Amino acid sequence: MDAPVMNESIEDIEIQLLLDAVYRHYHYDFRHYARASIKRRLLQARQQWGYDSISEIQSAVLHDETILPQLLNFLTVQVSEMFRDPSYFRALREKVVPHLRTYPSLKVWVAGCSHGEELYSLAILFAEEGLAERTIFYATDINPAALRAAQAGVYPLDRIRLFTENHQLSGGHTSLSEHYTANYNRAVFDKSLRERTVFSDHSLVTDAAFGEMHLISCRNVLIYFDRELQDRVVGLFGESLARGGFLGIGSKESLRFSTHANLFSEFVREEKIYRRKLR
């Protein structure tokens, strides 16, 4: 448990008690998420649900299990897009893929996969580069609703224009339209893109490492953790990567202050792509 803080507001105490309660009763651990972000999202939940205090949310979530999935949707960030930051995917295509080609089989972990946009981006990229048949993808998240959405691979059709532009800027070799079917204002991505994907509930806070990954893509997740949890997760990724494997993180994230930074070397500095050291 966090050390006591002098002059805490009643609201801050309520938030700590709520996070403790969620962990003790449901085993979801948000206690080391960045507190400013958690507070903002809980205040949004309180307003939307019409409660007068955070303590009312705590009472509701402890006595009504149907509240928990709704709370998870507030506490976990589910905002992404396909080929987000196209230069990141271009760097993977041009600088990382040549190394991945040397392996007879590949394992790729999309950690914090949200609704699956990053997963499908990588699956399309690997298909275009001829690596799909030798790759197993692992898509993980703590939010069951997000995992179901990722597994379905269905997105509003009005998002496809942005996805298409990003794909082209990433150096895509095909038309994005080859990978989905449009109907009823929805784009349904081909099942072939997820045939070799394992969707799994996995917590970066409490669960163990995945072994011998060749690429881990976990972007814009670490920014929602406090320094202690960031350090834990970087160590987890170090344990999960094969020697010489690659780690991609978000543009506003860094390994610089982690006690595990010595496990990695910068590979593409401007795109925050690191490589697990061979020794």
Side-chain angles (χ1 to χ4, degrees), residues 31 71 74 81 85 136 182 187 207 250 256:
R31 296 173 300 171
L71 183 61
F74 281 100
E81 62 194 45
D85 303 319
I136 296 177
D207 290 338
R256 184 181 307 169

Side-chain angles (χ1 to χ4, degrees), residues 50-84:
Y51 291 132
D52 294 325
S53 68
I54 301 296
S55 292
E56 289 187 34
I57 298 178
Q58 177 185 322
S59 178
V61 77
L62 285 177
H63 293 96
D64 183 354
E65 293 186 354
T66 67
I67 298 296
L68 179 66
Q70 301 174 54
L71 183 61
L72 289 179
N73 287 334
F74 281 100
L75 295 181
T76 59
V77 178
Q78 306 297 334
V79 179
S80 189
E81 62 194 45
M82 289 189 67
F83 295 95
R84 181 180 183 179

Side-chain angles (χ1 to χ4, degrees), residues 15-28:
I15 289 171
Q16 185 62 51
L17 291 173
L18 169 60
L19 299 182
D20 287 341
V22 169
Y23 175 65
R24 291 176 64 181
H25 192 60
Y26 295 106
H27 309 295
Y28 283 97

Side-chain angles (χ1 to χ4, degrees), residues 152-165:
V154 179
Y155 303 100
L157 200 57
D158 60 10
R159 301 186 70 196
I160 294 299
R161 180 175 180 178
L162 174 60
F163 293 176
T164 299
E165 291 174 356

Side-chain angles (χ1 to χ4, degrees), residues 83-101 122 125-126 129 131 166-173 215 217 219 246-249 266-274:
F83 295 95
R84 181 180 183 179
D85 303 319
S87 57
Y88 168 79
F89 288 94
R90 184 178 284 275
L92 289 179
R93 190 186 300 274
E94 296 177 352
K95 298 181 180 181
V96 174
V97 163
H99 293 274
L100 297 182
R101 289 190 195 283
L122 288 169
L125 188 156
F126 275 54
E129 298 298 329
L131 296 177
N166 287 349
H167 175 242
Q168 292 172 344
L169 291 171
S170 76
H173 302 326
L215 169 65
S217 193
R219 300 195 304 139
F246 298 89
L247 169 65
I249 61 176
E266 289 185 325
F267 189 73
V268 185
R269 176 181 296 182
E270 60 273 19
E271 299 302 335
K272 300 298 180 70
I273 298 174
Y274 298 82

Side-chain angles (χ1 to χ4, degrees), residues 11-261:
E11 201 167 67
D12 289 333
I13 295 170
E14 288 181 307
I15 289 171
Q16 185 62 51
L17 291 173
L18 169 60
L19 299 182
D20 287 341
V22 169
Y23 175 65
R24 291 176 64 181
H25 192 60
Y26 295 106
H27 309 295
Y28 283 97
D29 194 351
F30 294 96
R31 296 173 300 171
H32 289 284
Y33 278 52
R35 191 51 56 92
S37 177
I38 284 287
K39 183 175 183 177
R40 182 173 63 254
R41 286 179 253 163
L42 285 174
L43 292 177
Q44 290 172 351
R46 189 189 72 182
Q47 181 179 21
Q48 184 168 317
W49 291 339
Y51 291 132
D52 294 325
S53 68
I54 301 296
S55 292
E56 289 187 34
I57 298 178
Q58 177 185 322
S59 178
V61 77
L62 285 177
H63 293 96
D64 183 354
E65 293 186 354
T66 67
I67 298 296
L68 179 66
Q70 301 174 54
L71 183 61
L72 289 179
N73 287 334
F74 281 100
L75 295 181
T76 59
V77 178
Q78 306 297 334
V79 179
S80 189
E81 62 194 45
M82 289 189 67
F83 295 95
R84 181 180 183 179
D85 303 319
S87 57
Y88 168 79
F89 288 94
R90 184 178 284 275
L92 289 179
R93 190 186 300 274
E94 296 177 352
K95 298 181 180 181
V96 174
V97 163
H99 293 274
L100 297 182
R101 289 190 195 283
T102 64
Y103 294 95
S105 62
L106 295 166
K107 296 167 73 175
V108 175
W109 180 14
V110 183
C113 71
S114 184
H115 290 164
E117 292 93 337
E118 184 109 344
L119 167 68
Y120 289 102
S121 302
L122 288 169
I124 290 170
L125 188 156
F126 275 54
E128 290 176 332
E129 298 298 329
L131 296 177
E133 294 302 317
R134 70 174 88 169
T135 304
I136 296 177
F137 293 94
Y138 295 83
T140 66
D141 204 280
I142 63 169
N143 188 327
L147 280 173
R148 289 193 296 270
Q151 196 160 7
V154 179
Y155 303 100
L157 200 57
D158 60 10
R159 301 186 70 196
I160 294 299
R161 180 175 180 178
L162 174 60
F163 293 176
T164 299
E165 291 174 356
N166 287 349
H167 175 242
Q168 292 172 344
L169 291 171
S170 76
H173 302 326
T174 60
S175 169
L176 192 66
S177 62
E178 296 178 22
H179 301 285
Y180 67 85
T181 302
N183 55 45
Y184 300 107
N185 294 317
R186 304 183 308 165
V188 182
F189 278 79
D190 293 343
K191 291 182 180 180
S192 62
L193 295 173
R194 54 185 178 275
E195 283 179 347
R196 297 178 62 82
T197 299
V198 177
F199 294 89
S200 178
D201 183 342
H202 180 276
S203 171
L204 294 172
V205 183
T206 58
D207 290 338
F210 279 28
E212 294 299 300
M213 295 291 154
H214 299 93
L215 169 65
I216 298 174
S217 193
C218 181
R219 300 195 304 139
N220 307 305
V221 174
L222 294 177
I223 55 173
Y224 296 106
F225 299 161
D226 67 15
R227 183 65 57 81
E228 179 183 343
L229 181 52
Q230 288 180 6
D231 196 55
R232 192 259 184 199
V233 173
V234 172
L236 183 74
F237 290 156
E239 292 177 32
S240 300
L241 279 171
R243 303 277 180 169
F246 298 89
L247 169 65
I249 61 176
S251 60
K252 296 180 180 179
E253 299 168 336
S254 175
L255 305 188
R256 184 181 307 169
F257 303 107
S258 172
T259 59
H260 304 287

